[in-house]
Amino acid sequence: MTLLSLAASETDIDVAARRLAATGRTRVPGLLGEGAERLHVLLADPAHDWSRAIRNPFDIDVPAAAFDAQSDADRQATLEQIYAEASEGFHFIYDRLLIRRTGVGAEQTPALLKAAADLFNSAAFLAFARRLTGDDRIVFADGQATRYLPGHFLNRHTDANEASGRLYAYVLNLTPHWRAEWGGQLQFLDAEGEVTESLIPVFDALNVFRVPQSHAVSVVAPFAGAPRYSITGWWRSQAPV
């Protein structure tokens, strides 16, 4: 039985490819069909040991459960420090699950997330990525599951990292029925810092954009009705050694 498969229509792929060529970013709706529902159910399971990724200004990962177990006063003080430093520069706070197919930590990765990584690195999916982008250099896709809770954000950055072979970034949105006023939007910015486009995390839509490109994830509102789940990563010109 195939756990996950590509479900996007030929027409939607062609339309998305033209938009990517013209603007450097695009969206493919209905990427996985029923598979997206299954991934959402998996990520919404409270049993997962999410890590909380924080940059303020150094990158650290702490168990989300330990962060949340602080006293209300200590947790609020930590958040206030993060928000104060985030007023300028590249900072973030969000939760993530690393997807490890083999090696250390692979046994802790849920089978369905491994299946997603396997799909994204299959010959058929890589052919889809090359068709969408018109770029035959794509040979590998990495990825992680992410969860943005109220107050989480990702400040402006470009994803530039030539040494790792990053060519395109992708975000597969996995929260049904997201509303614009809940925040958590993928925003693209020009050289002056103006938002030129803002994409709501539409369920089962794959957002793809050329790297480097200035972008951010706007803060998730305190009244958001659900966590913002996704699988994110990069299409690369080289596989990890």
Side-chain angles (χ1 to χ4, degrees):
M1 176 182 176
T2 301
L3 294 178
L4 296 170
S5 59
L6 182 64
S9 74
E10 296 292 314
T11 298
D12 285 338
I13 294 171
D14 288 341
V15 170
R18 290 193 293 271
R19 185 170 188 260
L20 181 60
T23 68
R25 49 189 178 264
T26 196
R27 167 177 282 167
V28 181
L31 187 79
L32 299 181
E34 292 181 0
E37 296 279 359
R38 297 171 63 197
L39 283 167
H40 170 256
V41 170
L42 170 72
L43 295 180
D45 186 334
H48 297 306
D49 294 325
W50 292 90
S51 294
R52 187 145 298 162
I54 302 170
R55 181 181 176 93
N56 65 328
F58 304 106
D59 293 352
I60 61 171
D61 274 43
V62 298
F67 187 101
D68 292 337
Q70 299 178 89
S71 69
D72 290 345
D74 287 346
R75 185 169 60 253
Q76 186 59 34
T78 302
L79 289 172
E80 287 177 358
Q81 178 185 1
I82 292 170
Y83 295 152
E85 293 173 345
S87 63
E88 298 287 344
F90 179 42
H91 297 277
F92 53 75
I93 178 171
Y94 63 89
D95 294 346
R96 62 183 173 189
L97 288 174
L98 299 180
I99 303 176
R100 303 188 187 278
R101 300 161 71 196
T102 60
V104 177
E107 69 282 354
Q108 299 173 348
T109 301
L112 194 60
L113 287 182
K114 288 182 183 178
D118 289 343
L119 172 66
F120 294 165
N121 285 281
S122 67
F125 196 93
L126 291 174
F128 151 74
R130 297 182 195 115
R131 172 184 169 187
L132 180 69
T133 62
D135 194 332
D136 290 336
R137 296 176 296 167
I138 298 171
V139 298
F140 179 75
D142 62 12
Q144 62 179 359
T146 65
R147 180 181 69 175
Y148 284 68
L149 300 174
H152 288 186
F153 64 89
L154 178 63
N155 272 2
R156 185 193 322 177
H157 62 295
T158 68
D159 279 355
N161 191 329
E162 291 184 9
S164 66
R166 292 178 184 174
L167 300 172
Y168 301 86
Y170 73 87
V171 182
L172 172 60
N173 302 301
L174 292 170
T175 300
H177 314 303
W178 191 267
R179 297 174 62 93
E181 56 266 39
W182 293 354
Q185 298 187 31
L186 176 59
Q187 298 180 324
F188 296 94
L189 305 98
D190 63 18
E192 286 71 44
E194 293 284 348
V195 175
T196 58
E197 187 171 16
S198 189
L199 299 179
I200 297 171
V202 173
F203 182 63
D204 196 24
L206 181 74
N207 298 329
V208 177
F209 57 95
R210 192 177 299 124
V211 173
Q213 191 166 169
S214 184
H215 64 285
V217 176
S218 64
V219 65
V220 175
F223 53 82
R228 178 191 184 274
Y229 294 113
S230 64
I231 294 178
T232 70
W234 294 275
W235 293 344
R236 299 177 182 261
S237 61
Q238 59 193 44
V241 177

